Amino acid sequence: MSSAAFLTLGCKLNYAETSTYRRGLVAAGWHVVDWRSKADLYIINTCTVTATSDSKSRNLVRKVGRVNPSADILVTGCSAALRPGDYSGMPGVRRVFGPGEKSRVVPFAIALHGGAAPAAEQEGPVFGAFSSGERTRSFLKVQDGCDNFCKYCTVPYARGRSRSLSVQECVGAAREIASLGMKEIVLTGVNTGDYGRGGPDGFMDLLRSLNAVEGIERYRISSIEPNLLTEDTVAWIASGTKFLPHFHIPLQSGCDRILAAMGRRYDTAFFGGRLDMVRKYMEKPGGLKVFFGIDVMAGLPGETDADFAESLEFIRRIRPAFIHAFPYSRRPGTPAASMKGQVDEEVKRERVRALEELSAELNADFTEANRGLKAKVLWEACHPDGTMSGYTENYIRAYAGSNPALVGEITDYEI
């Protein structure tokens, strides 16, 4: 029996894809081991969102080669897609897979180790994937790629143009997830709300079909651009569906001048209006508040101290529950890389710290605003300290005394 180890950097899409590779090899009789255990084969899923991510990806491949010089290494993911030559000559690397070759990873691994590899299916519009490493929640990939070409971003080059799985494929994956005993699905993609672009089915067709899948009791929507979070969608979600009051929406900057310079397709007034609209439909007297997570990039080219102060003030005004803050990273080949006004690295770090402090403050305020409200918690795990934890519908972490029988169950809870 051949053994395999998996290492993943980057986003939830990468984790969903790695989990799918893993299931494919396990179904073929492979044994999964920790990467330090000198596996016969390593699949490394790389990330390129920042220069640090690229460096970590390359270092990880080199490290695996040192841990087990006789192993076969397969490299996939965004860094490999953009810079295949960085990896193809490394010791142990047998193949680097591009963005349109992900369905070939498992057949190639099996054939490499002398097995009867299944014929690689023709790659569809998007490689279908979902995560299955957790007992209660799965990340289901419904969309990939992006057509926005924001001036700082490499995603359209690494993952290609926007494309989607069919509704039937997504529903089939959701049913498989339900058969594994998981009750919650997070819909994920590069830009989830762009689902169905150019195809016969739109985002609402997907949501309605998934809502009918038996065994799945909760859905969350991640990575949706504000211009794609429409009033019709929100009104339907609020009408009594399985979709929860939790959205992750990229902002990137709370300064209109910077948003325009980076090619974002909205301004702060529009973004704030989207959040107000969602709250109007989904927040009822005595009911849970909506959890908004936002992405904010510190130190985009041309961002002055005044621009950053304006951004902080806007974020305070719209009151998200969480800020995913990270420094702008100069990516070769993007328009932003050659723009004037590049921000000093230490200034970027200081701005990230300020955003993280604001995030902690806003998250505490959000939790307090929900204090005493009735919620339902999907219990995820028991802990050595005698507690168990899970999440409310609006993504507040909840704790109770340990009860293993409740892991994977949903119960009432007072925040």
Side-chain angles (χ1 to χ4, degrees):
M1 180 187 296
S2 296
S3 62
F6 303 84
L7 298 100
T8 306
L9 293 170
C11 64
K12 297 300 184 182
L13 280 181
N14 273 9
Y15 282 90
E17 290 164 357
T18 296
S19 189
T20 301
Y21 301 146
R22 177 184 178 127
R23 287 194 305 276
L25 287 180
V26 168
W30 286 54
H31 179 53
V32 176
V33 299
D34 182 85
W35 71 275
R36 300 171 188 84
S37 299
K38 294 192 174 182
D40 299 314
L41 176 88
Y42 292 81
I43 296 178
I44 301 177
N45 205 336
T46 62
C47 177
T48 190
V49 70
T50 65
T52 300
S53 300
D54 275 324
S55 177
K56 284 182 177 179
S57 296
R58 291 190 297 268
N59 289 339
L60 197 56
V61 175
R62 293 189 189 100
K63 188 172 185 177
V64 165
R66 291 194 297 270
V67 167
N68 188 1
S70 64
D72 296 315
I73 302 172
L74 307 183
V75 186
T76 184
C78 292
S79 183
L82 284 181
R83 297 168 181 80
D86 288 359
Y87 298 94
S88 58
M90 289 185 179
V93 172
R94 297 292 176 255
R95 183 164 172 179
V96 179
F97 292 86
E101 300 179 310
K102 294 176 182 179
S103 66
R104 302 174 188 172
V105 172
V106 169
F108 183 88
I110 294 171
L112 186 64
H113 282 255
E121 297 180 4
Q122 184 70 29
E123 186 103 341
V126 57
F127 175 63
F130 65 85
S131 66
S132 54
E134 299 182 45
R135 294 175 60 182
T136 55
R137 177 188 296 127
S138 175
F139 290 87
L140 171 59
K141 175 181 170 183
V142 300
Q143 181 272 343
D144 204 347
C146 186
D147 291 348
N148 289 347
F149 289 90
C150 297
K151 294 183 180 179
Y152 52 80
C153 187
T154 60
V155 166
Y157 311 104
R159 284 191 169 268
R161 304 299 291 265
S162 181
R163 57 210 190 277
S164 307
L165 287 154
S166 69
V167 168
Q168 292 75 19
E169 288 172 303
C170 294
V171 167
R175 287 174 176 157
E176 187 175 349
I177 291 166
S179 74
L180 296 173
M182 290 178 276
K183 295 183 177 179
E184 181 175 299
I185 287 176
V186 182
L187 302 187
T188 190
V190 171
N191 184 1
T192 308
D194 205 31
Y195 178 88
R197 176 187 288 268
D201 297 315
F203 193 45
M204 281 298 299
D205 298 307
L206 173 68
L207 301 190
R208 287 194 174 97
S209 297
L210 289 174
N211 198 62
V213 174
E214 294 183 6
I216 302 300
E217 299 186 30
R218 315 207 309 185
Y219 290 95
R220 301 182 191 272
I221 298 174
S222 72
S223 302
I224 183 167
E225 292 282 326
N227 54 307
L228 299 173
L229 189 59
T230 67
E231 189 164 0
D232 286 347
T233 299
V234 174
W236 177 80
I237 287 172
S239 69
T241 68
K242 298 177 182 178
F243 287 81
L244 303 181
H246 176 192
F247 301 91
H248 192 92
I249 310 174
L251 171 62
Q252 309 308 7
S253 174
C255 171
D256 286 336
R257 190 181 71 80
I258 296 298
L259 288 175
M262 293 299 110
R264 299 297 285 168
R265 301 186 178 192
Y266 52 84
D267 58 16
T268 54
F270 182 87
F271 192 98
R274 292 288 91 177
L275 271 59
D276 289 342
M277 179 268 292
V278 173
R279 287 176 170 133
K280 178 187 75 171
Y281 278 102
M282 301 192 73
E283 292 186 354
K284 307 301 181 186
L288 298 174
K289 311 299 182 185
V290 178
F291 184 107
F292 291 107
I294 64 171
D295 293 331
V296 180
M297 199 177 297
L300 284 159
E303 184 184 66
T304 65
D305 289 343
D307 293 332
F308 183 66
E310 182 180 329
S311 191
L312 287 179
E313 178 57 32
F314 174 72
I315 294 167
R316 285 186 182 279
R317 192 161 68 247
I318 63 173
R319 306 182 329 277
F322 174 75
I323 304 167
H324 177 211
F326 50 101
Y328 163 72
S329 180
R330 204 169 184 173
R331 311 307 294 127
T334 61
S338 58
M339 284 182 176
K340 295 180 180 179
Q342 299 291 326
V343 178
D344 180 78
E345 294 300 320
E346 180 54 35
V347 173
K348 291 180 193 177
R349 287 191 287 269
E350 290 173 359
R351 291 177 183 174
V352 167
R353 283 194 291 270
L355 286 164
E356 289 172 343
E357 289 173 3
L358 178 57
S359 180
E361 175 188 325
L362 291 169
N363 190 256
D365 291 345
F366 178 77
T367 301
E368 190 57 36
N370 286 275
R371 187 81 61 195
L373 299 180
K374 304 295 184 183
K376 291 186 180 295
V377 173
L378 174 57
W379 298 105
E380 296 190 348
C382 292
H383 307 295
D385 65 358
T387 64
M388 65 178 179
S389 64
Y391 285 94
T392 63
E393 301 100 301
N394 62 341
Y395 210 61
I396 292 175
R397 195 166 182 84
Y399 294 90
S402 182
N403 183 348
L406 288 181
V407 172
E409 300 298 323
I410 298 173
T411 68
D412 294 331
Y413 183 83
E414 182 176 312
I415 298 172

